[in-house]
Amino acid sequence: MQQQRAEQSRAFFARHAEQHDAQQELIAEYGQYAEQACELLLRASPEGKQVLEIGPGDGLFLLELAGHFEQVIGLDNAEAMLERARQNLTVAKRKNVQLILGEWPASATTLPTVDAVALNMVLHHLPAPASAIAAAARQLNEGGTLLITDLCRHDQHWAHEACGDFWLGFEEADLVDWACLL
């Protein structure tokens, strides 16, 4: 089941990379949460040198991270999305970002441990959110920071088809329960 969901996610983003901005705005516009998410991460990891963003999409959050961390890694399962991120990074002349094609958490063992991991508006696209969180926590250096920015539970069922969402957001209690298992 998880493998099938992972394949559906990969196929969705490969098909819809060019419409990513419009689809993202249907649920949560980047400008509504990005500044606060970045601020929280920087407060929690002021001395951080390396950060991993899982599912960076078009790379806008990577651009923010690249201005504050020495090394930034973006892991995405869709080459089309990585290409959009690559274009945005090139325009912004950011050279401290490495983009990697791969599945999370399957690719975790090939990546270095880092000071911070960002699951920024991606958890609702992943087939097994609790496993993704646990793997992200294992990817952290001692004292590292895990940032999760995602949707609250909602009933917008059209998001499955229009946005490639597997989950219609999350209850805060579920995220807390999963974090307590770490």
Side-chain angles (χ1 to χ4, degrees):
M1 178 73 132
Q2 288 181 13
Q3 184 64 26
Q4 181 183 6
R5 286 181 172 172
E7 180 54 40
Q8 288 172 335
S9 173
R10 190 172 32 258
F12 177 86
F13 287 103
R15 282 191 317 269
H16 298 286
E18 293 304 315
Q19 298 91 21
H20 178 263
D21 297 340
Q23 289 166 325
Q24 184 177 10
E25 290 177 10
L26 291 172
I27 291 280
E29 192 174 340
Y30 178 77
Q32 293 175 324
Y33 62 86
E35 183 179 336
Q36 293 85 358
C38 190
E39 183 178 326
L40 284 171
L41 183 58
L42 295 175
R43 282 185 185 180
S45 188
E47 304 297 320
K49 296 187 182 337
Q50 298 174 303
V51 61
L52 165 65
E53 183 181 6
I54 299 164
D58 60 10
L60 293 181
F61 200 61
L62 289 173
L63 288 171
E64 288 292 326
L65 298 174
H68 300 285
F69 289 85
E70 290 177 17
Q71 181 185 15
V72 179
I73 302 166
L75 174 76
D76 205 290
N77 69 353
E79 181 59 46
M81 295 308 295
L82 287 175
E83 182 55 34
R84 291 205 56 207
R86 197 173 288 113
Q87 291 169 2
N88 285 328
L89 293 164
T90 300
V91 169
K93 298 181 179 163
R94 295 291 185 186
K95 298 183 189 246
N96 61 330
V97 180
Q98 179 184 8
L99 299 174
I100 299 171
L101 179 64
E103 294 291 334
W104 186 260
S107 297
T109 58
T110 65
L111 300 171
T113 58
V114 293
D115 301 312
V117 174
L119 288 161
N120 185 36
M121 297 303 283
V122 72
L123 202 58
H124 61 275
H125 292 294
L126 298 178
S131 297
I133 291 170
R138 289 190 300 271
Q139 204 68 34
L140 293 169
N141 292 327
E142 187 173 333
T145 301
L146 174 58
L147 172 74
I148 299 173
T149 310
D150 217 291
L151 302 170
C152 293
R153 188 89 168 114
H154 62 85
D155 63 357
Q156 306 298 314
H157 293 279
W158 54 264
H160 290 301
E161 183 68 29
C163 303
D165 295 6
F166 286 120
W167 308 98
L168 297 177
F170 303 97
E171 297 290 340
E172 182 179 347
D174 291 331
L175 296 174
V176 170
D177 288 346
W178 295 333
C180 288
L181 295 174
L182 305 177

